[in-house]
Amino acid sequence: MSSVPEGGYHDDPGRMHPRSTVFGVPAALAVQPDVALCLDIALATDTPEMRGAGQIKVGGGVVLSGFSKAAGNGIIPNPLLVRFARQTAEQRGIPVMFGVMQGGLTDGSFMQYAGRGIPVLDLGFATRYTHTAVEICSLSDLEALAA
């Protein structure tokens, strides 16, 4: 059940997406986190049909997502969180790839506007053939993400 009142949040302009019951916004409004780290897939571009679309490869480590853009929204990664993630990965010897997602969103795309705003960072792992019966990823990428 949503914590969003039936009429939305018309009394508080700081609360975005009135009537929203998806995209992590109700949870963000209830918890009011200091930061949000979204863990999701990243489209691998190391196959012939994706050649030239980026440099994300399965087995290449953690994907630190930069800006994403899809119809009506996108994510602006918090620069302090980006720096923290890069420094942490370097200190732990975790390989990092940098990606920009076009046409896809994570919950962070909406959570960043919840309440008074939540600093957001998208982290992920490379996958091939997403949303198919043969979708794959590398266990070493998942382990690096968990580290």
Side-chain angles (χ1 to χ4, degrees):
M1 183 159 208
S2 172
S3 63
V4 178
E6 178 61 29
Y9 286 116
H10 302 293
D11 60 330
D12 185 356
R15 292 184 175 179
M16 302 294 282
H17 304 284
R19 300 179 184 261
S20 178
T21 58
V22 294
F23 305 120
V25 173
L29 291 172
V31 175
Q32 297 181 6
D34 294 322
V35 298
L37 300 178
C38 295
L39 307 179
D40 207 340
I41 64 166
L43 300 178
T45 57
D46 60 348
T47 58
E49 66 274 10
M50 295 293 287
R51 188 170 293 131
Q55 298 179 11
I56 305 298
K57 62 181 184 172
V58 171
V62 172
V63 178
L64 178 58
S65 295
F67 299 91
S68 66
K69 179 68 176 132
N73 206 352
I75 193 167
I76 303 169
N78 181 277
L80 296 175
L81 290 176
V82 171
R83 184 171 42 231
F84 176 75
R86 291 178 77 170
Q87 289 172 347
T88 301
E90 185 176 322
Q91 290 169 356
R92 295 181 179 201
I94 299 170
V96 175
M97 298 176 285
F98 299 94
V100 175
M101 187 183 336
Q102 292 290 326
L105 299 173
T106 67
D107 287 349
S109 300
F110 299 91
M111 290 173 66
Q112 66 188 345
Y113 299 112
R116 288 181 166 51
I118 300 170
V120 174
L121 183 65
D122 278 347
L123 298 169
F125 55 96
T127 59
R128 290 187 196 136
Y129 316 117
T130 58
H131 305 292
T132 71
V134 295
E135 181 173 356
I136 66 162
C137 69
S138 167
L139 289 178
S140 66
D141 289 346
L142 293 175
E143 290 167 351
L145 186 58

